[in-house]
Amino acid sequence: MSSAQETTFLKDSAAKAFDMRHRQIINYNIDKYDVAVQSGLLQFQHLENAKRKAHIIKWKVMENLDKLLPEFESNFLRKGGKVIWANDAEEARQEIWKIMERSGAKTVVKSKSMTTEEIELNHFFEGKGVKTVESDLGEYIVQLLNQKPYHIVTPAMHLSLQDIAALFHQHFGTPPDATAQDLTLQARKLLREQYTAADVGITGANFLIADTGSIALTENEGNARLTTTFPKIHIAIVGIEKVIPSLADLDLFWPLLATHGTGQRLTVYNSIIGGPRQEGETDGPEEMYVVLLDNGRTDLLAQKEQRQGLYCIRCGACLNGCPIYKNVGGHTYNTTYSGPIGSIITPHLRGMEAFKHLSYASSLCGKCTEVCPVKIDIHQMLLLNRRDAVASNIVSKSEKATWKGFTFAMTKRWVVDLLGGKLKNILLSRFFKKAWGKRRNLPFVAPKSFAQQWKAKDKAD
């Protein structure tokens, strides 16, 4: 059974895969990333040991989530912060809106956050007449284009410098041939006013630290620091899987995230925020809220074999390594989390029937598993999703019949050898000519079967 999502994905990906300009931009940007990562990883004396340790810590987190989240909550409350538990996206939006209404807030400035994309917060605010400005440069660019982020780390990866210069020229009158430095300065000038004027600052969090009751933010532009400093209210929206046991764990996770995310030894700005402004402090909000978002995560947690998907630290390495992503791009997935990690978690977060097709959008080359800094067995998770789709009886009758016939033939040699090579060629050319798409020719079988060729060779010897 094909869902509307699957039909759209197949159509869009077929078009995007042969968009040569798109491929050129993505390959250029990912090639730069690969060079940077190769250099950044040299800081680790024992990279595999670091990745294994990170995997074990995240495993312990998932086994003890019911203890670590209340620990975070109690420590955060002790510092004057407030915690909101949200079961789904609608509940998260409504709880945030209550804060906005209570404070009379009309303007919002946001730092980069995939969880806000997940709950479609900007669209919700737009319907309420609230002005929302993205402060991350990449997010700001795609907001101007009225697009979703293309990549979970670099939202505007699909755009060239010329594209962005033309966009800024259209909106702000900058020179059409402006340099990257000129564009950055223009964006900084425009965004600086937003920080001081906004009523509410909204962020995500890279990690929730249980033993200190703090959130950890890592960024390269400083926009998150400004977002959390000037507005009177700071709201952090964080998935429940982001918790880590101790502040000391950042010594491992921050370098892993930086090197696998952008190739840096350490990201430029790293902040630990443990509540609203305290007595004697000059910076920070008067109120701080952390929204702990479930939105399907406990459904994935219940899948013992596939809960590894919740180990993800959102570095984006699997996207950059995936040959499918590099050809079809981020927007074709039509999900918040694209690429291999999105393909394994989205069917659980948003429904297997609608998004099972993403688990088939893979060559199973294993590159995603190889580059993952927390050693998620991603390609195995893709296979398990495929298994679950079949077990749930949400695949088409023709697909089931095809595989049943294939299994029967492959397990009984005489069936394969029943027809000669010439007849097989005729059947393939007439009934399966378009099986590989309109841009490729189906390879025909040899005139003689392998068994026949082997017997002939044996006689000749």
Side-chain angles (χ1 to χ4, degrees):
M1 290 174 282
S2 296
S3 66
Q5 291 282 358
E6 180 177 354
T7 303
T8 302
F9 174 78
L10 291 172
K11 180 182 176 183
D12 292 348
S13 58
K16 187 59 72 174
F18 291 91
D19 182 341
M20 292 299 108
R21 186 170 185 274
H22 168 263
R23 186 179 297 187
Q24 182 182 22
I25 293 171
I26 297 308
N27 287 343
Y28 173 77
N29 288 330
I30 291 180
D31 284 349
K32 288 176 65 178
Y33 163 87
D34 288 339
V35 172
V37 169
Q38 191 174 13
S39 174
L41 292 178
L42 294 175
Q43 69 174 306
F44 290 96
Q45 285 189 320
H46 301 288
L47 177 61
E48 280 302 306
N49 285 350
K51 291 166 68 170
R52 193 174 294 112
K53 183 179 179 182
H55 179 91
I56 292 170
I57 291 172
K58 293 297 274 183
W59 171 77
K60 287 181 178 178
V61 165
M62 296 311 146
E63 295 296 315
N64 295 279
L65 208 55
D66 57 332
K67 300 180 183 69
L68 290 170
L69 288 172
E71 181 184 351
F72 165 80
E73 181 182 31
S74 64
N75 289 327
F76 185 66
L77 292 174
R78 198 173 294 123
K79 297 176 182 179
K82 298 174 183 177
V83 174
I84 297 169
W85 297 77
N87 290 309
D88 53 34
E90 179 59 23
E91 190 172 338
R93 291 190 294 262
Q94 293 304 326
E95 289 296 329
I96 293 166
W97 183 243
K98 287 177 186 177
I99 300 169
M100 300 284 290
E101 282 191 309
R102 190 164 58 244
S103 62
K106 296 296 181 185
T107 54
V108 170
V109 64
K110 284 176 67 260
S111 71
K112 186 178 179 300
S113 165
M114 294 308 293
T115 46
T116 60
E117 295 291 340
E118 182 182 338
I119 66 173
E120 298 186 323
L121 192 59
N122 285 12
H123 179 71
F124 174 77
F125 280 155
E126 186 180 332
K128 296 288 187 180
V130 173
K131 181 185 177 185
T132 308
V133 177
E134 296 285 353
S135 61
D136 174 84
L137 182 54
E139 291 277 1
Y140 185 60
I141 289 167
V142 295
Q143 185 181 31
L144 290 174
L145 287 167
N146 196 29
Q147 293 181 356
K148 296 286 187 182
Y150 179 90
H151 189 284
I152 62 177
V153 175
T154 46
M157 181 189 269
H158 59 305
L159 301 173
S160 67
L161 175 60
Q162 291 73 26
D163 294 330
I164 300 168
L167 178 69
F168 273 50
H169 174 69
Q170 176 188 345
H171 284 270
F172 312 118
T174 53
D177 58 348
T179 65
Q181 184 179 6
D182 293 335
L183 298 172
T184 304
L185 289 172
Q186 177 66 23
R188 183 165 67 176
K189 178 183 173 184
L190 293 164
L191 291 171
R192 286 279 167 153
E193 303 168 3
Q194 306 297 331
Y195 299 118
T196 55
D199 300 314
V200 175
I202 294 179
T203 70
N206 297 97
F207 303 100
L208 296 164
I209 308 167
D211 68 349
T212 62
S214 309
I215 68 168
L217 290 166
T218 185
E219 50 164 338
N220 277 314
E221 299 172 16
N223 57 80
R225 284 190 177 179
L226 293 170
T227 300
T228 61
T229 302
F230 284 107
K232 292 182 179 180
I233 299 173
H234 172 204
I235 303 172
I237 308 166
V238 194
I240 56 175
E241 82 282 9
K242 291 296 189 72
V243 67
I244 56 175
S246 168
L247 185 67
D249 294 322
L250 289 176
D251 183 52
L252 172 66
F253 283 104
W254 262 348
L256 281 174
L257 179 56
T259 50
H260 289 79
T262 56
Q264 296 166 278
R265 291 171 63 87
L266 198 64
T267 312
V268 176
Y269 296 99
N270 295 288
S271 305
I272 299 170
I273 304 171
R277 185 169 66 237
Q278 305 294 306
E279 188 177 345
E281 293 180 346
T282 56
D283 293 326
E286 296 174 6
E287 300 175 45
M288 182 176 174
Y289 301 83
V290 170
V291 179
L292 296 175
L293 182 66
D294 183 338
N295 204 32
R297 286 162 174 80
T298 50
D299 292 334
L300 181 52
L301 184 66
Q303 305 296 320
K304 193 170 183 180
E305 292 179 293
Q306 286 133 290
R307 64 174 61 153
Q308 277 190 46
L310 295 171
Y311 296 7
C312 178
I313 59 174
R314 304 289 189 264
C315 68
C318 62
L319 281 70
N320 298 330
C322 178
I324 303 299
Y325 182 91
K326 285 190 278 191
N327 277 280
V328 306
H331 288 149
T332 55
Y333 289 81
N334 198 24
T335 63
T336 304
Y337 307 105
S338 55
I341 188 61
S343 295
I344 65 172
I345 66 174
T346 302
H348 298 279
L349 299 183
R350 298 183 61 185
M352 183 66 74
E353 187 166 357
F355 288 95
K356 70 181 189 318
H357 62 279
L358 295 183
S359 298
Y360 293 83
S362 169
S363 64
L364 297 179
C365 67
K367 183 69 174 178
C368 50
T369 300
E370 177 188 330
V371 299
C372 179
V374 291
K375 295 185 76 68
I376 301 172
D377 196 353
I378 297 176
H379 65 290
Q380 177 65 16
M381 300 301 106
L382 293 168
L383 289 172
L384 291 173
N385 278 359
R386 296 182 188 186
R387 178 203 65 186
D388 289 352
V390 174
S392 301
N393 201 32
I394 53 175
V395 295
S396 66
K397 291 180 179 179
S398 59
E399 182 179 340
K400 286 194 286 187
T402 299
W403 284 112
K404 189 174 181 179
F406 176 81
T407 304
F408 178 78
M410 289 298 102
T411 54
K412 292 175 174 57
R413 184 76 213 187
W414 64 269
V415 175
V416 178
D417 291 336
L418 193 61
L419 302 176
K422 291 182 179 179
L423 187 54
K424 287 177 183 176
N425 282 335
I426 293 170
L427 291 173
L428 285 171
S429 63
R430 288 194 177 180
F431 299 106
F432 300 96
K433 190 174 183 180
K434 296 180 180 179
W436 270 20
K438 60 185 180 181
R439 292 182 174 88
R440 296 188 296 182
N441 293 322
L442 186 71
F444 296 139
V445 296
K448 292 183 179 181
S449 71
F450 175 80
Q452 291 171 327
Q453 292 181 61
W454 184 264
K455 285 179 182 178
K457 179 180 179 299
D458 197 37
K459 284 182 180 178
D461 292 341

